[in-house]
Amino acid sequence: MQSQNRIAFKEWGAVCAALEQGTQSVIVRKGGIHEGEAGFRVEHSEFWMFPTRFHQGAEQLQPAKCSLLNQPLSQEPESGKLNLSLYSVVEAVLELKDPALLPRLQSLQVLNAETIQQRFEYKNPGLFVLLVRVFRREQPVEVEQESRFAGCHSWVELSQDYTTADLKPVLNPEQFQEAQQAFQEIVNSAQ
């Protein structure tokens, strides 16, 4: 793991809450409208999670996961600042091109089947599925929101590096191994 990092990855607050709880260890990504002609790419192997509140709603989550919208990471901070508390290390990436495999994602993440299907079909069919090892800091770091953070793009460069020294893994090694196995089953099906 890098000792410090200034790269952040924008993701729905509900998904960040699921990552923080350890109920999700994958990120399903299509990319924002400002990703350019090539679309989303995994440009960084480690990053801070940047929880966003735009475009997320209960109708896009699995019914049993709607309570995630009540979690702190899913709500706008009162101060108008960004709270950095989660850090992700990408362990594996799958570019999923077979729509028949989409139902296999349901048990690995919190988005409902319709939302996953819409993301898959947007522009060029396909999705990226990132297996991430998530770490949490006990006390979030408050970062000033900047206008350049706005917009539909995945990657944000923060104004400074933040240390990763005090991070603790969300899942223990055995729990993360289970997540790896579930991810690998999808990888094997895609080949």
Side-chain angles (χ1 to χ4, degrees):
M1 179 187 303
Q2 298 174 17
S3 62
Q4 55 185 5
N5 197 336
R6 68 174 52 212
I7 300 300
F9 183 79
K10 294 174 74 172
E11 183 56 270
W12 284 356
V15 171
C16 291
L19 292 167
E20 180 182 42
Q21 293 175 2
T23 58
Q24 177 167 327
S25 292
V26 298
I27 297 172
V28 178
R29 190 49 144 221
K30 183 62 167 217
I33 58 174
H34 298 297
E35 301 287 5
E37 282 295 316
F40 174 76
R41 293 291 171 250
V42 183
E43 298 174 19
H44 306 278
S45 60
E46 297 185 25
F47 42 84
W48 294 101
M49 296 303 299
F50 184 122
T52 65
R53 286 92 188 160
F54 301 109
H55 307 304
Q56 73 173 358
E59 71 280 358
Q60 294 146 326
L61 301 176
Q62 295 175 30
K65 305 297 184 181
C66 291
S67 64
L68 290 168
L69 293 171
N70 300 323
Q71 301 299 313
L73 286 172
S74 293
Q75 299 169 1
E76 198 70 41
E78 288 183 33
S79 64
K81 296 185 178 188
L82 169 66
N83 289 321
L84 293 182
S85 61
L86 296 179
Y87 189 78
S88 293
V89 176
V90 178
E91 297 288 337
V93 176
L94 171 64
E95 189 172 2
L96 189 64
K97 294 288 192 179
D98 183 356
L101 296 176
L102 294 179
R104 308 270 314 264
L105 293 175
Q106 286 307 111
S107 64
L108 300 180
Q109 51 78 51
V110 298
L111 303 178
N112 66 28
E114 183 179 343
T115 301
I116 293 289
Q117 186 73 38
Q118 288 171 349
R119 286 187 178 190
F120 181 87
E121 292 173 359
Y122 180 69
K123 291 188 178 180
N124 301 318
L127 282 174
F128 283 91
V129 184
L130 287 66
L131 175 67
V132 291
R133 185 83 193 259
V134 180
F135 298 83
R136 176 178 37 224
R137 65 181 320 141
E138 199 65 35
Q139 293 296 321
V141 172
E142 281 195 345
V143 176
E144 292 286 338
Q145 285 278 17
E146 297 181 38
S147 60
R148 65 187 180 88
F149 296 166
C152 294
H153 50 91
S154 299
W155 302 105
V156 170
E157 185 172 342
L158 303 170
S159 297
Q160 69 179 66
D161 287 306
Y162 293 93
T163 182
T164 62
D166 57 350
L167 300 176
K168 305 282 187 255
V170 169
L171 298 178
N172 67 38
E174 295 78 24
Q175 292 169 321
F176 188 70
Q177 186 176 22
E178 289 177 24
Q180 283 178 307
Q181 289 171 344
F183 178 85
Q184 190 60 45
E185 288 175 16
I186 295 177
V187 171
N188 293 344
S189 298
Q191 295 174 347

